[in-house]
Amino acid sequence: AVVSTQSTWGVAPEPPDQEDKMLSFVLAALIGVAAARPQAVLPAGLSAAACPNYPFCGAETPADFPTPVVNGEPIAPILNTNPAQTQFYQQSQVATAPADFPVPVINGQNVAPGYNTVPAQTDAHENHLLIAQQQQLQQLIDAQTIQHRIQQQEIEAARHFGRL
């Protein structure tokens, strides 16, 4: 057998271990048992050709139930509603409620729904958030600068004392 010197992502292929061999054996045994299991037993006088959908020989599917009728109207099988109730239910599931809320107005200005503020207050709040984000960014830059200077000093000290 020729052993390849190529590897995948730097990892050399290994021969299958005991666990892989055991898993293959177990799967082969399971497939063998499943294939050898007894097939469905039909009653005497009934063949698989005559009734392929046993035990539902007379019906196409087991769910061929009659549709119930109440007050002359058929009832939907899942919702147990008549057509008018079903239509109302389906229409009530459409998400329209948030868009139907009135927008409050204070001093002639619409109130922002998330902040409950008028535009001037919303602008001030967003400006405050922007300033806080800029300060956090500057702190990160300063921390990186300090770390870089510490590394430079360590390199210079190592060169000075002959370690580099």
Side-chain angles (χ1 to χ4, degrees):
V2 176
V3 177
S4 173
T5 58
Q6 292 180 337
S7 61
T8 306
W9 295 288
V11 177
E14 296 181 14
D17 59 358
Q18 187 70 23
E19 189 174 315
D20 291 340
K21 290 179 185 177
M22 183 59 95
L23 179 63
S24 299
F25 178 73
V26 168
L27 287 176
L30 183 64
I31 290 171
V33 168
R37 73 178 173 85
Q39 302 301 316
V41 179
L42 297 174
L46 186 63
S47 69
C51 182
N53 197 20
Y54 177 79
F56 306 104
C57 297
E60 290 296 317
T61 63
D64 279 347
F65 296 118
T67 302
V69 176
V70 176
N71 293 332
E73 294 184 281
I75 301 299
I78 303 296
L79 300 174
N80 288 329
T81 58
N82 62 30
Q85 292 170 330
T86 303
Q87 183 180 9
F88 173 80
Y89 173 77
Q90 290 170 343
Q91 288 174 350
S92 68
Q93 298 303 307
V94 178
T96 57
D100 290 341
F101 288 137
V103 176
V105 176
I106 298 176
N107 294 332
Q109 296 181 320
N110 291 341
V111 175
Y115 296 128
N116 287 331
T117 58
V118 294
Q121 292 170 325
T122 304
D123 292 342
H125 177 70
E126 289 176 351
N127 190 35
H128 174 74
L129 291 176
L130 180 61
I131 290 169
Q133 290 170 347
Q134 288 172 339
Q135 289 173 345
Q136 287 177 342
L137 178 61
Q138 188 60 47
Q139 288 174 350
L140 286 174
I141 292 170
D142 292 344
Q144 288 176 344
T145 303
I146 291 169
Q147 185 64 33
H148 182 69
R149 288 183 183 160
I150 290 171
Q151 289 174 350
Q152 288 295 94
Q153 289 174 351
E154 289 173 353
I155 291 170
E156 290 174 14
R159 284 187 183 147
H160 178 73
F161 293 109
R163 289 179 283 192
L164 279 182

